[in-house]
Amino acid sequence: MKRKSIIFAGALVFLFVLASAFVFWVTRCTQGNMYAEPATDDVHALMPFTDGMPFCLEAVPGFWLKFDTGADISTLTEADAQKLRDLGYKVEESFGPIAGRDGYGETLFAWRRYTVDLPVGGYEEHTDSAGNVTVRYTGRPSNVLRNVDFAKIDSGLSTLGLDLLSKFKLECRFDSHSVAFTETIPADYRRVVDMRKNMHLTDFIWSPSRSYIIISVNQSSNVYLMDTGLQRAAIKKPMEAMAYAKHTLRTETVPMTRNRTFEAYVDDDAWIDFGSRSGSKKVYYLDNGEEPFQVNPLNVFTQNLVVDIEGGAIYFRNAAKPFNGIASRRR
């Protein structure tokens, strides 16, 4: 009897320790302490995209971060942490487990983190007499995000992942090649396509959940990961789906991740149904070891759009202008 009591007590202690470790892990894998300063009714931090692939945002001049909704967690290299220190911003290194998919689509378990004050914005749009839009730095950031948690990495690209991006409405401006972080949807945008969460077991270990969109390609619907880290390809399907292609396919070498390229088959004129938009667009068939179906709306459309991760929707500005071959569907 005594032995059974000892075994039972030991099992309770083990379960308590396991539950405590789980709670510690989950609560430390959030951006719960982050806040913007100055505090306003609507944070508005405009930042330009850098040229080339992948899409990186220039938070302040000389400091870039990959813009990646396919990454669960935000990461910061030692070199970029030092850049922030040199700019005069707080950078604290501490122990704290962080787990999730990083900016290269690989699962990362980090035991060290940076908690930083991150300057963002301070850019303004300027339109010249020919209608060309550029962004210029005003000389100071518009906001500082306090207590931002990053997983510490040794090298590679520092990344803004879902844990941070989901806190904002992301207005992607095509003409000025920039993104505005806001807290409200601008009044002249309307909801075009819904996004949904596709829960996995790992979503109970790290957060937030990734966003997915139902898209029809050549009258075949699938659930696509919404991934702004997808580089050249706008819409990616697995090789096995080539059987449903409606046109002759050509081959192309596509850069997808760090120092990795893939041979893809390309349908140059696939028919796409994206929410209330339809039209033809290139579709890439390849297997890159990540999710089988992926879409990067920044590569699909050439008009301003808002990505609302928390609200589960993509918005377009009210306009009749086509979107890179994808136009409003007639009803």
Side-chain angles (χ1 to χ4, degrees), residues 110-175:
W111 297 98
R112 304 294 297 178
R113 69 172 60 206
Y114 291 116
T115 301
V116 310
D117 287 345
L118 181 67
V120 291
Y123 294 87
E124 292 180 346
E125 290 182 332
H126 294 269
T127 305
D128 62 21
S129 57
N132 299 313
V133 184
T134 57
V135 293
R136 301 173 190 167
Y137 193 57
T138 61
R140 57 178 298 177
S142 58
N143 295 94
V144 177
L145 304 183
R146 306 288 186 186
N147 301 323
V148 181
D149 284 333
F150 288 91
K152 178 184 177 181
I153 57 175
D154 295 329
S155 61
L157 286 175
S158 297
T159 299
L160 293 178
L162 277 175
D163 57 345
L164 187 145
L165 296 177
S166 61
K167 304 291 186 183
F168 299 95
K169 318 302 181 187
L170 308 169
E171 184 186 7
C172 304
R173 301 181 179 181
F174 176 78
D175 290 337

Side-chain angles (χ1 to χ4, degrees), residues 245-295:
K246 301 293 186 181
H247 308 95
T248 302
L249 305 179
R250 62 177 177 83
T251 59
E252 182 178 326
T253 301
V254 182
M256 296 292 289
T257 57
R258 176 174 49 181
N259 300 323
R260 296 177 68 189
T261 59
F262 296 86
E263 289 300 315
Y265 290 87
V266 185
D267 183 345
D268 288 308
D269 197 29
W271 187 257
I272 311 299
D273 291 306
F274 185 100
S276 61
R277 296 292 189 270
S278 293
S280 26
K281 187 67 184 174
K282 290 181 182 179
V283 171
Y284 289 73
Y285 295 87
L286 62 94
D287 296 321
N288 62 345
E290 297 186 40
E291 299 243 2
F293 297 91
Q294 294 172 275
V295 59

Side-chain angles (χ1 to χ4, degrees), residues 189-195 276 308 311-316:
Y189 282 83
R190 68 183 181 89
R191 194 179 185 114
V192 168
V193 64
D194 292 330
M195 297 188 293
S276 61
D308 181 6
I314 292 178
Y315 296 73
F316 289 147

Side-chain angles (χ1 to χ4, degrees), residues 28-327:
R28 293 288 285 164
C29 288
T30 67
Q31 296 284 358
N33 293 324
M34 186 190 80
Y35 65 95
E37 193 175 90
T40 61
D41 291 337
D42 184 16
V43 171
H44 190 279
L46 181 68
M47 292 166 281
F49 279 126
T50 56
D51 293 331
M53 295 288 182
F55 290 115
C56 291
L57 289 179
E58 188 174 58
V60 291
F63 187 78
W64 301 275
L65 295 156
K66 187 183 179 189
F67 179 73
D68 193 349
T69 61
D72 301 315
I73 56 177
S74 299
T75 59
L76 190 68
T77 65
E78 294 182 70
D80 283 340
Q82 187 57 48
K83 283 183 183 179
L84 284 177
R85 291 189 187 99
D86 294 342
L87 290 169
Y89 293 95
K90 180 191 81 172
V91 177
E92 296 178 347
E93 183 178 345
S94 63
F95 171 82
I98 300 180
R101 287 150 294 209
D102 64 12
Y104 298 105
E106 300 173 356
T107 300
L108 172 69
F109 292 93
W111 297 98
R112 304 294 297 178
R113 69 172 60 206
Y114 291 116
T115 301
V116 310
D117 287 345
L118 181 67
V120 291
Y123 294 87
E124 292 180 346
E125 290 182 332
H126 294 269
T127 305
D128 62 21
S129 57
N132 299 313
V133 184
T134 57
V135 293
R136 301 173 190 167
Y137 193 57
T138 61
R140 57 178 298 177
S142 58
N143 295 94
V144 177
L145 304 183
R146 306 288 186 186
N147 301 323
V148 181
D149 284 333
F150 288 91
K152 178 184 177 181
I153 57 175
D154 295 329
S155 61
L157 286 175
S158 297
T159 299
L160 293 178
L162 277 175
D163 57 345
L164 187 145
L165 296 177
S166 61
K167 304 291 186 183
F168 299 95
K169 318 302 181 187
L170 308 169
E171 184 186 7
C172 304
R173 301 181 179 181
F174 176 78
D175 290 337
S176 61
H177 202 55
S178 62
V179 173
F181 284 26
T182 68
E183 293 182 316
T184 58
I185 304 294
D188 56 344
Y189 282 83
R190 68 183 181 89
R191 194 179 185 114
V192 168
V193 64
D194 292 330
M195 297 188 293
R196 66 188 225 184
K197 307 296 183 184
N198 192 6
M199 296 296 291
H200 298 281
L201 178 62
T202 52
D203 292 328
F204 294 98
I205 302 175
W206 58 70
S207 59
S209 301
R210 300 170 120 189
S211 296
Y212 294 80
I213 305 169
I214 296 177
I215 300 174
S216 173
V217 176
N218 293 326
Q219 289 78 51
S220 176
S221 295
N222 293 98
V223 179
Y224 289 75
L225 171 68
M226 197 275 294
D227 186 0
T228 59
L230 187 64
Q231 294 191 32
R232 184 184 304 172
I235 297 173
K236 191 215 82 174
K237 301 185 72 170
M239 288 281 199
E240 64 182 26
M242 287 193 300
Y244 301 99
K246 301 293 186 181
H247 308 95
T248 302
L249 305 179
R250 62 177 177 83
T251 59
E252 182 178 326
T253 301
V254 182
M256 296 292 289
T257 57
R258 176 174 49 181
N259 300 323
R260 296 177 68 189
T261 59
F262 296 86
E263 289 300 315
Y265 290 87
V266 185
D267 183 345
D268 288 308
D269 197 29
W271 187 257
I272 311 299
D273 291 306
F274 185 100
S276 61
R277 296 292 189 270
S278 293
S280 26
K281 187 67 184 174
K282 290 181 182 179
V283 171
Y284 289 73
Y285 295 87
L286 62 94
D287 296 321
N288 62 345
E290 297 186 40
E291 299 243 2
F293 297 91
Q294 294 172 275
V295 59
N296 184 352
L298 303 184
N299 287 337
V300 177
F301 302 103
T302 56
Q303 184 166 336
N304 295 4
L305 58 90
V306 173
V307 177
D308 181 6
I309 296 168
E310 192 65 29
I314 292 178
Y315 296 73
F316 289 147
R317 177 167 280 152
N318 296 324
K321 176 183 173 182
F323 296 42
N324 198 15
I326 309 292

